[in-house]
Amino acid sequence: MHHRHPDIDPQLLSETEEQRELRTVLRDFFTEESGPEDVRKHLATPRGHDETLWARLAGEIGVHGLAIPEQFGGSGFTFAELAVALEESGRALYCAPLLPTVVLAAHALLNSGDQQACARYLPRIADGTLTATVAGFDEAEPGVGAERSGQGWVLRGAADFVLDGAGADLIVVRAQTPGGARLFACEPAEDTCPRTPRRVLDETRRQSLVEFRGAPATLVGESGEVTAALDAGRAALAAEQVGGSGHALDATVQFVAQRQQFGRPIGSFQAVKHRLADVLVALEAARSASAYATACVALASPQLPVAASAAAAVCSETYRLATAEYVQLHGGIGFTWEHPAHLYVRRARSSEVLFGTADQHRTRLAELVGLTTRPAA
């Protein structure tokens, strides 16, 4: 059973001066380089994002290496700094594969303790020359197996709805072996690893069916444990959701202050004020949940599973609420294809099921803290 009281210093939940400066730099960067029209334009490209911008984000600002140790080519900061970048990317609806590359794959490699694999891949993740993702991490879908082939291993099976699966240069795969689940690094080739893009609700976050037909792979680490990497992904996604919710609220407040009806701004009506106040209260709760999960990842706290699931549930519902009001309080224009609101709605709806639904996370929380549920009559 987990402790009922946090073991995190409350001061770690507040931003440092360096983090505030990073936020300012990133907000200006995304405002200038990755607005809604830029996002729409690059969605139609083969890779789905601006590859020049990806390289600049890694090279000029160093986002990709923030949470990677210096010995592996990173900056040696913590997940707290990376969370700032993720929040700002979520606010701008940045469509490059930050989540699968710098969070899921990078943390899977770091948590594996495999120094050779880390030295081979993490420097290229940090400098932006390698994109990566993970597959087979869902224990409910054991679709990938590994078998010996000569001196190495090959993978067989399939994993569906893999984040950036069609474009990633590296896939960290959890596969079943005769001795249990293990992690493997696979650099996909067309003949042994065909990848089929899936049609998904949120086109800013591409997903694919990845098939392994005797794909060569390298064993990583000594176990197939992926819970910590998934919880880091949940904390990262929560930060993105906070950023997206913040954009939705700010854009809506700005609109209702300008839109006139009956000779006065519609934001002056009590009903509109109440709805926006509800979003603000929910957003503050989401910020707190996200900050706690971020601190738990940064400190490798044993409270991480609790914090990650709590953040996933709270931030998902906040993002859903914020984007719903984003559309509705913009009136008729909020329902149009030309307005960016629908892009945020799609991101919100896809994100809330990415690593489990809110109900699934509440069930997990109940198990983690030792609660029992009354059996149905």
Side-chain angles (χ1 to χ4, degrees):
M1 180 185 299
H2 286 253
H3 301 294
R4 293 186 180 275
H5 299 287
D7 59 354
I8 300 294
D9 184 346
Q11 290 186 344
L12 296 176
L13 305 182
S14 300
E15 278 191 352
T16 65
E17 184 61 33
E18 282 185 336
Q19 290 166 1
R20 281 192 288 272
E21 291 176 1
L22 176 62
R23 183 181 300 281
T24 299
V25 169
L26 285 167
R27 187 165 299 185
D28 291 343
F29 180 82
F30 284 127
T31 298
E32 294 175 5
E33 306 292 345
S34 187
E37 292 308 312
D38 297 301
V39 171
R40 292 177 193 266
K41 179 177 69 175
H42 291 293
L43 286 180
T45 64
R47 195 62 183 88
H49 66 268
D50 185 343
E51 295 182 76
T52 300
L53 194 64
W54 172 264
R56 289 183 59 196
L57 198 64
E60 295 178 15
I61 304 178
V63 166
H64 301 57
L66 283 172
I68 294 176
E70 290 180 303
Q71 70 184 101
F72 298 126
S75 305
F77 288 99
T78 72
F79 189 83
E81 285 71 33
L82 180 57
V84 172
L86 290 162
E87 184 177 334
E88 290 305 311
S89 73
R91 183 182 183 90
L93 213 69
Y94 183 53
C95 53
L98 275 177
L99 178 61
T101 299
V102 305
V103 181
L104 293 172
H107 279 76
L109 291 169
L110 286 168
N111 294 341
S112 75
D114 189 323
Q115 299 295 303
Q116 186 175 355
C118 288
R120 181 176 182 179
Y121 296 116
L122 290 179
R124 288 191 285 156
I125 288 177
D127 67 16
T129 58
L130 181 79
T131 58
T133 190
V134 300
F137 278 31
D138 184 357
E139 295 183 0
E141 185 185 348
V144 184
E147 59 189 46
R148 288 281 188 180
S149 176
Q151 298 298 315
W153 294 82
V154 294
L155 303 177
R156 299 191 187 279
D160 209 351
F161 296 102
V162 175
L163 294 175
D164 195 40
D169 305 311
L170 168 71
I171 306 177
V172 180
V173 186
R174 183 178 185 270
Q176 295 295 325
T177 73
R182 299 291 296 274
L183 286 183
F184 295 86
C186 174
E187 298 181 41
E190 291 184 9
D191 56 337
T192 58
C193 189
R195 298 179 281 178
T196 307
R198 290 300 199 191
R199 185 177 182 183
V200 291
L201 177 66
D202 177 17
E203 295 179 343
T204 67
R205 178 163 279 150
R206 294 188 175 188
Q207 301 179 47
S208 300
L209 168 67
V210 179
E211 299 176 81
F212 301 96
R213 300 175 181 175
T218 304
L219 197 61
V220 174
E222 298 182 356
S223 77
E225 177 57 45
V226 297
T227 302
L230 282 174
D231 281 333
R234 293 176 179 117
L237 185 62
E240 277 193 7
Q241 291 169 320
V242 167
S245 299
H247 163 83
L249 178 59
D250 290 349
T252 306
V253 168
Q254 182 180 17
F255 178 79
V256 300
Q258 297 173 347
R259 179 78 168 96
Q260 298 281 325
Q261 192 66 268
F262 304 111
R264 54 192 283 200
I266 62 173
S268 65
F269 293 107
Q270 197 74 5
V272 174
K273 290 181 180 179
H274 285 171
R275 290 171 68 169
L276 291 175
D278 288 343
V279 175
L280 178 61
V281 170
L283 178 56
E284 289 305 309
R287 288 190 193 282
S288 296
S290 174
Y292 181 48
T294 292
C296 285
V297 178
L299 298 176
S301 168
Q303 287 288 312
L304 175 57
V306 171
S309 279
V314 172
C315 296
S316 291
E317 294 187 343
T318 296
Y319 203 5
R320 172 189 277 262
L321 172 65
T323 53
E325 297 293 15
Y326 188 14
V327 171
Q328 293 177 21
L329 291 179
H330 272 75
I333 191 175
F335 290 85
T336 63
W337 190 256
E338 291 76 15
H339 196 275
H342 75 91
L343 296 174
Y344 286 86
V345 172
R346 290 165 182 262
R347 174 66 71 87
R349 294 300 176 88
S350 67
S351 295
E352 67 180 309
V353 298
L354 190 56
F355 299 123
T357 65
D359 286 344
Q360 288 171 330
H361 284 296
R362 290 192 182 94
T363 300
R364 185 189 187 210
L365 281 169
E367 294 170 351
L368 288 169
V369 302
L371 296 178
T372 57
T373 56
R374 182 178 299 174

